[in-house]
């Protein structure tokens, strides 16, 4: 267990170089939320995406210094190394989600003098967590397989593909004369239909499968 | 024995470790020599269970290196030439990390080395010279009181003064008869200073493993003409190299050779001479 702690401390110390960039991102997104009320609908997702995705950059630090080989000379093993990455990355997403909820709630309360309904905020953030988790659950095994650089390219390809897919669907729907409107109530309804607990279970399942796949890839990998 | 490698085999597409055998007793320093790509680092990686091996047995402190991996690694200090923690960390950060990994991590000793090596505590290692980076790696490797040091090119990038300092530290480390060092190096003169055993690996095979004294005192390089060379029995030499004006012949026992043949020029070889004739020479 101490090995996992050491690995997480190493990643957190590496990430501490991001603290000013992270602070700027938080300030910019909060500023966006303050500037107009409509921005408040997408601000939490952007904020938590920015915080949540930072965990992935620790792979680049390790790759630059070829740290994997060195770390494996410590009293740890490949399984612990994979586990530590997942704990860190999931932890960063949870922190991102909490910061987003507090920021959204706080802006509504302080700037717009409203006591907001917490449920739509939670729903929005949960949707965001699902989106980021989907990307990361695919991204992490691919980084273990191909490395941080190629893995990052694949992440962009994946995002572009998802964007193109959604864009294509929207185009088809609007071409067919159907109107689409997204508001929190619709998303809320959607999630209510499937159930928040199912969504959480799906997120956990995604990470579990992703972790198992990463372990399998990394155990076989020649370093 | 502190380290025992038996019949280690590992096959890659274009390279193979073949039946590697090593034995390192307590209180000894073994120098692992060989050209680039000969298998030194692969052997070290196999010992540390960083790579999966095809067959063979590796025991460290009498324990299986796979089954007792974590226990064993508590007592091993490692320096790798091309791999370390992120360059964006400073010695203070590294201390925070390392104390989580090693039960015997000695913060005082670590900072004593940092001071001794004149490494700035708050400067990230990216801003260090290559010599300073190597000293930092060595400080980290020594600060959990390891029993075995495994060093891959630890003196590369160091100036002669720093190299001497480091070699002295290794020799101090070995004074306790419970410790041992396995060190791979291109700088064979360093090994001549500190090593008790020399193991030469070529094309994935151990070509020779001898005590340094045996190697330097018994081995010889005979220099002779072509006519003289033709008279020498093939069984009496290990390898030969044809130069422009003479033949250089590596013999295992120079005194015996002197008795058998009337050739007077037999030089005392350096480790580098032996390595070069083995690699470039013919039989």
């Amino acid at each position: 267990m101490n090995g996992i702690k050491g690995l997480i401390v190493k990643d957190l110390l590496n990430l501490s170089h991001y603290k000013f960039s992270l602070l700027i991102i938080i300030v910019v997104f909060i500023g966006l939320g303050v500037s107009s009320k409509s921005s408040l609908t997408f601000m939490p997702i952007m904020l938590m995406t920015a915080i949540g995705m930072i965990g992935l950059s620790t792979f680049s630090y390790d790759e630059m210094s070829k740290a994997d080989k060195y770390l494996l000379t410590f009293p740890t093993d490949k399984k612990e190394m994979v586990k530590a990455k997942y704990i860190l990355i999931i932890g960063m997403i949870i922190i991102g989600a909490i910061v987003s909820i507090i920021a959204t709630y706080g802006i509504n309360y302080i700037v717009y003098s409203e006591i907001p309904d917490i449920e739509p905020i939670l729903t929005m953030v949960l949707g965001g967590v699902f989106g980021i988790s989907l990307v990361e659950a695919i991204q992490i095994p691919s980084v273990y397989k191909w490395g941080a650089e190629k893995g990052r390219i694949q992440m962009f390809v994946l995002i572009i593909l998802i964007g193109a897919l959604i864009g294509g669907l929207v185009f088809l729907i609007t071409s067919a004369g159907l109107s689409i409107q997204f508001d929190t109530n619709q998303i809320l309804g959607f999630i209510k239909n499937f159930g928040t607990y199912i969504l959480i279970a799906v997120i956990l399942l995604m990470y579990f499968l992703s972790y198992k796949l990463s372990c399998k890839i990394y155990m076989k990998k020649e370093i | 024995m502190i380290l025992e490698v038996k019949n280690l085999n590992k096959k890659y597409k274009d390279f193979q470790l073949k039946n590697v055998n090593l034995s390192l007793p307590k209180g000894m320093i073994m120098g692992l020599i060989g050209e680039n790509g000969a298998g030194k680092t692969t052997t070290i990686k196999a010992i540390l269970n960083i790579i999966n091996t095809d067959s063979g047995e590796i025991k460290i402190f009498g324990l299986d290196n796979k089954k007792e991996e974590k226990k064993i690694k508590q007592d091993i200090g490692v320096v790798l030439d091309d791999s370390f923690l992120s360059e964006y960390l400073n010695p203070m950060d590294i201390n925070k990390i390392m104390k989580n990994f090693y039960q015997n991590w000695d913060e005082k000793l670590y900072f004593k080395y940092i001071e001794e090596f004149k490494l700035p505590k708050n400067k990230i290692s990216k801003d260090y010279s290559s010599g300073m980076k190597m000293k930092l790696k060595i400080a980290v490797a020594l600060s959990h009181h390891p029993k075995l040091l495994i060093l891959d090119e630890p003196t590369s990038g160091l100036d002669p003064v720093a190299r001497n300092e480091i070699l002295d530290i290794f020799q101090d480390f070995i004074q306790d008869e419970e410790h041992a060092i396995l060190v791979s190096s291109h700088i064979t003169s360093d090994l001549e200073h500190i090593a008790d055993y020399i193991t030469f690996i070529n094309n994935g095979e151990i070509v020779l493993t001898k005590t340094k004294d045996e190697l330097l005192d018994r081995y010889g390089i005979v220099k002779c003409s072509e006519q003289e060379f033709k008279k020498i029995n093939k069984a009496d030499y290990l390898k030969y190299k044809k130069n422009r004006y003479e033949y250089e012949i590596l013999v295992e026992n120079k005194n015996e050779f002197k008795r058998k043949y009337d050739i007077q020029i037999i030089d005392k070889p350096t480790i580098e001479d032996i390595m070069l004739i083995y690699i470039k020479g013919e039989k």
Side-chain angles (χ1 to χ4, degrees):
Chain A
M1 198 62 198
N2 273 347
I4 293 181
K5 193 180 164 197
L7 292 162
I8 294 172
V9 170
K10 177 220 23 132
D11 283 339
L12 289 174
L13 286 167
N14 276 328
L15 286 179
S16 67
H17 299 278
Y18 271 124
K19 56 182 180 270
F20 290 113
S21 321
L22 197 60
L23 199 68
I24 291 167
I25 290 169
I26 292 172
V27 169
V28 167
F29 285 136
I30 288 177
L32 209 67
V34 171
S35 66
S36 74
K37 193 139 190 254
S38 58
S39 309
L40 257 184
T41 30
F42 60 85
M43 186 276 283
I45 290 186
M46 291 177 80
L47 188 57
M48 64 173 297
T49 305
I51 299 171
M53 297 298 262
I54 273 175
L56 281 175
S57 63
T58 58
F59 282 106
S60 302
Y61 280 105
D62 290 345
E63 202 168 279
M64 273 192 292
S65 51
K66 295 180 187 165
D68 281 20
K69 192 163 78 174
Y70 185 61
L71 291 168
L72 284 169
T73 71
F74 295 177
T76 184
D77 54 34
K78 288 183 172 177
K79 220 172 176 176
E80 274 192 357
M81 284 169 70
V82 175
K83 208 178 269 180
K85 281 283 182 223
Y86 274 85
I87 292 172
L88 177 89
I89 287 166
I90 294 170
M92 291 303 287
I93 292 178
I94 293 170
I95 291 169
I98 293 169
V99 171
S100 300
I101 292 167
I102 294 170
T104 314
Y105 198 89
I107 292 168
N108 267 306
Y109 187 72
I110 297 163
V111 180
Y112 302 108
S113 309
E114 284 175 11
I115 297 173
D117 187 2
I118 193 74
E119 208 171 335
I121 298 174
L122 290 178
T123 306
M124 180 68 81
V125 168
L126 187 60
V129 168
F130 177 78
I132 299 168
S133 300
L134 178 65
V135 172
E136 291 194 336
I138 298 166
Q139 180 72 6
I140 301 169
S142 64
V143 169
Y144 277 114
K145 179 80 181 165
W146 292 290
E149 289 309 309
K150 278 187 193 169
R152 194 177 295 148
I153 294 165
Q154 283 170 336
M155 183 178 77
F156 284 117
V157 172
L158 186 74
I159 289 169
I160 290 165
L161 281 176
I162 291 172
L165 191 72
I166 294 168
L169 278 172
V170 170
F171 178 74
L172 284 175
I173 291 166
T174 45
S175 301
L178 300 166
S179 73
I180 45 161
Q181 282 180 336
F182 283 116
D183 61 24
T184 48
N185 286 332
Q186 268 190 331
I187 297 166
L188 184 65
F190 175 79
I191 291 175
K192 264 188 179 167
N193 283 339
F194 287 94
T196 305
Y197 296 115
I198 292 175
L199 199 59
I200 292 170
V202 170
I203 292 169
L204 291 175
L205 183 68
M206 281 190 318
Y207 275 122
F208 176 73
L209 294 176
S210 172
Y211 167 71
K212 286 283 175 194
L213 184 60
S214 293
C215 280
K216 206 174 169 186
I217 293 167
Y218 198 48
M219 293 303 277
K220 279 187 185 168
K221 193 172 181 178
E222 294 287 1
I223 291 163
Chain B
M1 288 291 161
I2 213 159
L3 168 68
E4 264 186 299
V5 178
K6 283 183 190 163
N7 303 319
L8 173 66
N9 285 283
K10 169 73 185 170
K11 200 171 183 177
Y12 291 103
K13 264 186 209 162
D14 49 359
F15 172 74
Q16 191 180 355
L17 273 188
K18 285 165 262 176
N19 278 323
V20 169
N21 287 285
L22 284 179
S23 290
L24 175 59
K26 285 178 182 177
M28 298 290 167
I29 300 179
M30 179 182 279
L32 195 57
I33 59 166
E35 61 182 331
N36 281 337
K40 301 187 299 289
T41 303
T42 309
T43 304
I44 285 175
K45 286 205 275 188
I47 291 168
L48 291 165
N49 198 26
I50 294 174
I51 53 167
N52 303 313
T53 53
D54 298 333
S55 62
E57 189 186 51
I58 299 170
K59 284 194 169 174
I60 305 173
F61 316 124
L63 303 168
D64 186 278
N65 78 327
K66 289 189 176 90
K67 287 180 195 155
E68 306 280 352
E69 185 178 2
K70 285 190 193 172
K71 192 177 174 190
I72 287 170
K73 286 181 176 175
Q74 283 290 347
D75 292 319
I76 305 180
V78 180
V79 171
L80 301 176
D81 178 34
D82 63 341
S83 166
F84 193 53
L85 296 168
S86 159
E87 290 198 323
Y88 292 91
L89 301 171
N90 62 36
M92 304 289 280
D93 295 333
I94 291 169
N95 177 53
K96 285 178 202 158
I97 296 166
M98 301 311 288
K99 63 184 178 191
N100 290 293
F101 283 105
Y102 293 102
Q103 289 157 5
N104 293 333
W105 180 254
D106 188 338
E107 214 170 90
K108 267 190 188 168
L109 181 65
Y110 171 69
F111 284 114
K112 190 184 137 242
Y113 282 126
I114 296 293
E115 299 249 318
E116 251 180 53
F117 295 156
K118 298 184 180 72
L119 302 173
K121 278 185 205 168
N122 292 308
K123 207 172 177 182
I124 58 170
S125 65
K126 193 175 189 292
D127 299 331
Y128 283 10
S129 67
S130 49
M132 288 161 92
K133 280 178 193 168
M134 188 51 84
K135 284 179 179 175
L136 178 61
K137 290 180 187 183
I138 291 165
V140 173
L142 290 167
S143 297
H144 59 281
H145 302 284
K147 290 180 190 152
L148 170 64
L149 279 182
I150 296 181
L151 315 163
D152 193 11
E153 303 287 348
T155 49
S156 67
L158 296 179
D159 60 65
V161 179
R163 257 174 39 213
N164 242 23
E165 277 172 44
I166 300 296
L167 295 178
D168 282 347
I169 288 169
F170 294 157
Q171 269 179 327
D172 284 347
F173 176 81
I174 221 72
Q175 292 312 310
D176 180 334
E177 290 293 306
E178 292 299 302
H179 292 167
I181 302 178
L182 175 68
V183 51
S184 88
S185 183
H186 282 108
I187 309 165
T188 48
S189 58
D190 286 350
L191 297 179
E192 270 167 38
H193 279 118
I194 60 163
D196 301 293
Y197 285 87
I198 297 293
T199 295
F200 175 30
I201 189 163
N202 195 28
N203 285 326
E205 276 180 289
I206 301 284
V207 179
L208 64 85
T209 180
K210 303 264 179 202
T211 65
K212 180 187 71 186
D213 295 339
E214 193 184 350
L215 206 59
L216 298 182
D217 295 341
R218 270 170 64 101
Y219 278 56
I221 293 180
V222 178
K223 291 185 175 168
C224 63
S225 64
E226 192 171 355
Q227 287 98 318
E228 285 172 316
F229 175 71
K230 279 178 182 167
K231 288 178 199 160
I232 299 168
N233 190 331
K234 228 177 172 183
D236 290 333
Y237 64 85
L238 296 166
K239 290 261 182 172
Y240 77 90
K241 204 168 85 164
K242 191 182 173 188
N243 294 332
R244 203 164 171 185
Y245 302 111
E246 60 179 8
Y247 276 73
E248 278 187 341
I249 309 161
L250 180 68
V251 296
E252 197 172 349
N253 189 331
K254 63 183 171 201
N255 293 332
E256 205 175 284
F257 189 89
K258 253 185 200 171
R259 278 197 292 274
K260 207 166 173 184
Y261 299 97
D262 186 25
I263 294 171
Q264 291 311 308
I265 308 172
I266 302 183
D267 293 342
K268 186 179 176 175
T270 61
I271 293 172
E272 191 171 309
D273 294 334
I274 295 170
M275 192 173 109
L276 284 174
I277 294 196
Y278 252 110
I279 295 168
K280 301 277 181 193
E282 298 166 53
K283 173 98 194 193

mmCIF file of all heavy atoms in Angstrom, chain B residues 3 41 50 73 83 92 99 102 107 128 132 134-135 150 154 156 169 183-184 203 208 235 239 283:
data_model
loop_
_atom_site.group_PDB
_atom_site.id
_atom_site.type_symbol
_atom_site.label_atom_id
_atom_site.label_comp_id
_atom_site.label_asym_id
_atom_site.label_seq_id
_atom_site.Cartn_x
_atom_site.Cartn_y
_atom_site.Cartn_z
ATOM 1 N N LEU B 3 23.815 -12.630 -4.841
ATOM 2 C CA LEU B 3 23.082 -12.686 -6.114
ATOM 3 C C LEU B 3 23.512 -13.921 -6.902
ATOM 4 O O LEU B 3 24.714 -14.173 -7.066
ATOM 5 C CB LEU B 3 23.370 -11.408 -6.936
ATOM 6 C CG LEU B 3 22.930 -11.391 -8.388
ATOM 7 C CD1 LEU B 3 21.407 -11.375 -8.509
ATOM 8 C CD2 LEU B 3 23.504 -10.181 -9.129
ATOM 9 N N THR B 41 22.293 -4.329 -19.870
ATOM 10 C CA THR B 41 21.088 -3.737 -19.285
ATOM 11 C C THR B 41 19.952 -4.757 -19.239
ATOM 12 O O THR B 41 19.183 -4.782 -18.269
ATOM 13 C CB THR B 41 20.682 -2.479 -20.092
ATOM 14 O OG1 THR B 41 21.800 -1.584 -20.073
ATOM 15 C CG2 THR B 41 19.493 -1.781 -19.478
ATOM 16 N N ILE B 50 12.176 -6.526 -14.095
ATOM 17 C CA ILE B 50 11.508 -5.470 -14.875
ATOM 18 C C ILE B 50 10.996 -6.072 -16.187
ATOM 19 O O ILE B 50 10.011 -5.630 -16.747
ATOM 20 C CB ILE B 50 12.480 -4.289 -15.142
ATOM 21 C CG1 ILE B 50 12.836 -3.609 -13.811
ATOM 22 C CG2 ILE B 50 11.891 -3.274 -16.115
ATOM 23 C CD1 ILE B 50 13.888 -2.535 -13.921
ATOM 24 N N LYS B 73 13.431 -6.001 -2.917
ATOM 25 C CA LYS B 73 13.722 -4.644 -3.399
ATOM 26 C C LYS B 73 13.853 -3.609 -2.279
ATOM 27 O O LYS B 73 14.380 -2.529 -2.508
ATOM 28 C CB LYS B 73 12.676 -4.227 -4.435
ATOM 29 C CG LYS B 73 12.901 -4.933 -5.773
ATOM 30 C CD LYS B 73 11.911 -4.524 -6.819
ATOM 31 C CE LYS B 73 12.242 -5.191 -8.143
ATOM 32 N NZ LYS B 73 11.210 -4.897 -9.165
ATOM 33 N N SER B 83 17.201 6.398 -16.848
ATOM 34 C CA SER B 83 15.857 6.423 -16.280
ATOM 35 C C SER B 83 15.893 6.920 -14.840
ATOM 36 O O SER B 83 16.739 6.499 -14.054
ATOM 37 C CB SER B 83 15.300 4.992 -16.357
ATOM 38 O OG SER B 83 14.167 4.856 -15.567
ATOM 39 N N MET B 92 14.061 17.787 -2.449
ATOM 40 C CA MET B 92 13.067 17.793 -1.362
ATOM 41 C C MET B 92 11.856 16.932 -1.762
ATOM 42 O O MET B 92 11.363 16.145 -0.960
ATOM 43 C CB MET B 92 12.583 19.228 -1.069
ATOM 44 C CG MET B 92 13.676 20.209 -0.733
ATOM 45 S SD MET B 92 14.391 19.918 0.869
ATOM 46 C CE MET B 92 13.165 20.683 1.887
ATOM 47 N N LYS B 99 10.374 8.205 0.874
ATOM 48 C CA LYS B 99 10.104 7.693 2.224
ATOM 49 C C LYS B 99 8.840 6.838 2.272
ATOM 50 O O LYS B 99 8.641 6.081 3.223
ATOM 51 C CB LYS B 99 10.083 8.821 3.257
ATOM 52 C CG LYS B 99 9.035 9.861 3.093
ATOM 53 C CD LYS B 99 9.275 10.913 4.173
ATOM 54 C CE LYS B 99 8.280 12.033 4.050
ATOM 55 N NZ LYS B 99 8.647 13.166 4.896
ATOM 56 N N TYR B 102 10.409 3.024 0.904
ATOM 57 C CA TYR B 102 11.388 2.232 1.657
ATOM 58 C C TYR B 102 11.195 2.348 3.162
ATOM 59 O O TYR B 102 11.187 3.458 3.701
ATOM 60 C CB TYR B 102 12.807 2.668 1.284
ATOM 61 C CG TYR B 102 13.163 2.338 -0.143
ATOM 62 C CD1 TYR B 102 13.149 3.322 -1.131
ATOM 63 C CD2 TYR B 102 13.481 1.044 -0.505
ATOM 64 C CE1 TYR B 102 13.463 3.020 -2.443
ATOM 65 C CE2 TYR B 102 13.795 0.729 -1.819
ATOM 66 C CZ TYR B 102 13.785 1.716 -2.789
ATOM 67 O OH TYR B 102 14.087 1.415 -4.081
ATOM 68 N N GLU B 107 16.288 9.793 5.927
ATOM 69 C CA GLU B 107 16.224 11.181 5.484
ATOM 70 C C GLU B 107 17.538 11.922 5.771
ATOM 71 O O GLU B 107 18.044 12.661 4.922
ATOM 72 C CB GLU B 107 15.078 11.844 6.252
ATOM 73 C CG GLU B 107 14.344 12.900 5.473
ATOM 74 C CD GLU B 107 13.078 13.317 6.220
ATOM 75 O OE1 GLU B 107 13.142 14.239 7.026
ATOM 76 O OE2 GLU B 107 12.048 12.695 5.948
ATOM 77 N N TYR B 128 20.011 20.639 -13.388
ATOM 78 C CA TYR B 128 21.304 20.099 -12.946
ATOM 79 C C TYR B 128 22.166 19.738 -14.162
ATOM 80 O O TYR B 128 21.647 19.439 -15.235
ATOM 81 C CB TYR B 128 21.098 18.809 -12.141
ATOM 82 C CG TYR B 128 20.629 18.965 -10.706
ATOM 83 C CD1 TYR B 128 20.206 20.189 -10.202
ATOM 84 C CD2 TYR B 128 20.620 17.878 -9.850
ATOM 85 C CE1 TYR B 128 19.790 20.312 -8.888
ATOM 86 C CE2 TYR B 128 20.203 17.990 -8.533
ATOM 87 C CZ TYR B 128 19.782 19.214 -8.065
ATOM 88 O OH TYR B 128 19.371 19.322 -6.765
ATOM 89 N N MET B 132 25.652 16.178 -11.876
ATOM 90 C CA MET B 132 24.811 16.385 -10.686
ATOM 91 C C MET B 132 23.619 15.428 -10.691
ATOM 92 O O MET B 132 23.229 14.897 -9.649
ATOM 93 C CB MET B 132 24.312 17.845 -10.629
ATOM 94 C CG MET B 132 25.395 18.836 -10.279
ATOM 95 S SD MET B 132 24.891 20.495 -10.757
ATOM 96 C CE MET B 132 24.140 21.077 -9.261
ATOM 97 N N MET B 134 23.528 12.487 -11.980
ATOM 98 C CA MET B 134 24.006 11.154 -11.613
ATOM 99 C C MET B 134 24.246 11.069 -10.109
ATOM 100 O O MET B 134 23.915 10.065 -9.463
ATOM 101 C CB MET B 134 25.283 10.833 -12.400
ATOM 102 C CG MET B 134 25.763 9.412 -12.258
ATOM 103 S SD MET B 134 24.488 8.158 -12.570
ATOM 104 C CE MET B 134 24.567 8.027 -14.352
ATOM 105 N N LYS B 135 24.782 12.149 -9.537
ATOM 106 C CA LYS B 135 25.026 12.152 -8.084
ATOM 107 C C LYS B 135 23.700 12.061 -7.317
ATOM 108 O O LYS B 135 23.627 11.400 -6.281
ATOM 109 C CB LYS B 135 25.772 13.420 -7.683
ATOM 110 C CG LYS B 135 27.247 13.385 -8.032
ATOM 111 C CD LYS B 135 27.886 14.697 -7.629
ATOM 112 C CE LYS B 135 29.359 14.717 -7.918
ATOM 113 N NZ LYS B 135 29.952 16.032 -7.623
ATOM 114 N N ILE B 150 22.785 -2.129 -7.506
ATOM 115 C CA ILE B 150 22.841 -2.517 -8.917
ATOM 116 C C ILE B 150 22.936 -1.216 -9.708
ATOM 117 O O ILE B 150 22.031 -0.372 -9.653
ATOM 118 C CB ILE B 150 21.612 -3.356 -9.319
ATOM 119 C CG1 ILE B 150 21.627 -4.673 -8.528
ATOM 120 C CG2 ILE B 150 21.601 -3.622 -10.819
ATOM 121 C CD1 ILE B 150 20.491 -5.627 -8.817
ATOM 122 N N PRO B 154 27.004 3.975 -13.789
ATOM 123 C CA PRO B 154 26.867 5.043 -12.794
ATOM 124 C C PRO B 154 27.867 6.183 -12.933
ATOM 125 O O PRO B 154 27.657 7.243 -12.336
ATOM 126 C CB PRO B 154 27.101 4.305 -11.466
ATOM 127 C CG PRO B 154 27.998 3.185 -11.830
ATOM 128 C CD PRO B 154 27.615 2.776 -13.217
ATOM 129 N N SER B 156 28.949 7.402 -15.935
ATOM 130 C CA SER B 156 28.898 8.089 -17.229
ATOM 131 C C SER B 156 28.447 9.529 -17.000
ATOM 132 O O SER B 156 27.567 9.798 -16.192
ATOM 133 C CB SER B 156 27.956 7.370 -18.192
ATOM 134 O OG SER B 156 26.649 7.470 -17.742
ATOM 135 N N ILE B 169 32.885 6.223 -2.690
ATOM 136 C CA ILE B 169 31.648 5.897 -1.962
ATOM 137 C C ILE B 169 31.308 4.418 -2.158
ATOM 138 O O ILE B 169 30.950 3.719 -1.209
ATOM 139 C CB ILE B 169 30.493 6.800 -2.435
ATOM 140 C CG1 ILE B 169 30.725 8.219 -1.922
ATOM 141 C CG2 ILE B 169 29.137 6.287 -1.962
ATOM 142 C CD1 ILE B 169 29.834 9.257 -2.516
ATOM 143 N N VAL B 183 27.904 -3.747 -11.052
ATOM 144 C CA VAL B 183 27.991 -2.476 -11.773
ATOM 145 C C VAL B 183 28.342 -2.714 -13.231
ATOM 146 O O VAL B 183 29.298 -3.412 -13.545
ATOM 147 C CB VAL B 183 29.010 -1.526 -11.076
ATOM 148 C CG1 VAL B 183 30.336 -2.186 -10.818
ATOM 149 C CG2 VAL B 183 29.226 -0.237 -11.853
ATOM 150 N N SER B 184 27.527 -2.153 -14.109
ATOM 151 C CA SER B 184 27.877 -2.237 -15.529
ATOM 152 C C SER B 184 28.493 -0.903 -15.923
ATOM 153 O O SER B 184 28.058 0.142 -15.448
ATOM 154 C CB SER B 184 26.642 -2.518 -16.370
ATOM 155 O OG SER B 184 26.012 -1.316 -16.735
ATOM 156 N N ASN B 203 27.179 -10.377 -27.189
ATOM 157 C CA ASN B 203 26.060 -10.961 -27.951
ATOM 158 C C ASN B 203 25.119 -11.792 -27.080
ATOM 159 O O ASN B 203 24.678 -12.869 -27.480
ATOM 160 C CB ASN B 203 26.575 -11.844 -29.094
ATOM 161 C CG ASN B 203 27.105 -11.013 -30.223
ATOM 162 O OD1 ASN B 203 26.586 -9.918 -30.492
ATOM 163 N ND2 ASN B 203 28.147 -11.501 -30.879
ATOM 164 N N LEU B 208 33.297 -14.408 -20.339
ATOM 165 C CA LEU B 208 34.172 -14.783 -19.231
ATOM 166 C C LEU B 208 33.719 -14.113 -17.946
ATOM 167 O O LEU B 208 33.135 -13.032 -17.973
ATOM 168 C CB LEU B 208 35.640 -14.464 -19.527
ATOM 169 C CG LEU B 208 36.095 -13.021 -19.710
ATOM 170 C CD1 LEU B 208 36.408 -12.365 -18.382
ATOM 171 C CD2 LEU B 208 37.368 -13.041 -20.557
ATOM 172 N N ALA B 235 44.802 -23.968 -29.710
ATOM 173 C CA ALA B 235 44.295 -24.217 -28.344
ATOM 174 C C ALA B 235 45.010 -23.355 -27.305
ATOM 175 O O ALA B 235 44.540 -23.220 -26.174
ATOM 176 C CB ALA B 235 44.472 -25.682 -28.000
ATOM 177 N N LYS B 239 41.818 -15.495 -28.558
ATOM 178 C CA LYS B 239 41.438 -14.749 -29.771
ATOM 179 C C LYS B 239 42.682 -14.075 -30.329
ATOM 180 O O LYS B 239 43.636 -13.813 -29.588
ATOM 181 C CB LYS B 239 40.430 -13.647 -29.422
ATOM 182 C CG LYS B 239 39.054 -14.152 -29.017
ATOM 183 C CD LYS B 239 38.099 -14.066 -30.174
ATOM 184 C CE LYS B 239 36.719 -14.529 -29.755
ATOM 185 N NZ LYS B 239 35.723 -14.299 -30.786
ATOM 186 N N LYS B 283 39.107 -16.330 -34.035
ATOM 187 C CA LYS B 283 39.738 -17.534 -33.475
ATOM 188 C C LYS B 283 39.997 -18.493 -34.623
ATOM 189 O O LYS B 283 39.090 -18.784 -35.394
ATOM 190 C CB LYS B 283 38.827 -18.152 -32.416
ATOM 191 C CG LYS B 283 39.298 -19.490 -31.903
ATOM 192 C CD LYS B 283 40.047 -19.356 -30.602
ATOM 193 C CE LYS B 283 40.797 -20.676 -30.337
ATOM 194 N NZ LYS B 283 41.297 -20.792 -28.999
#
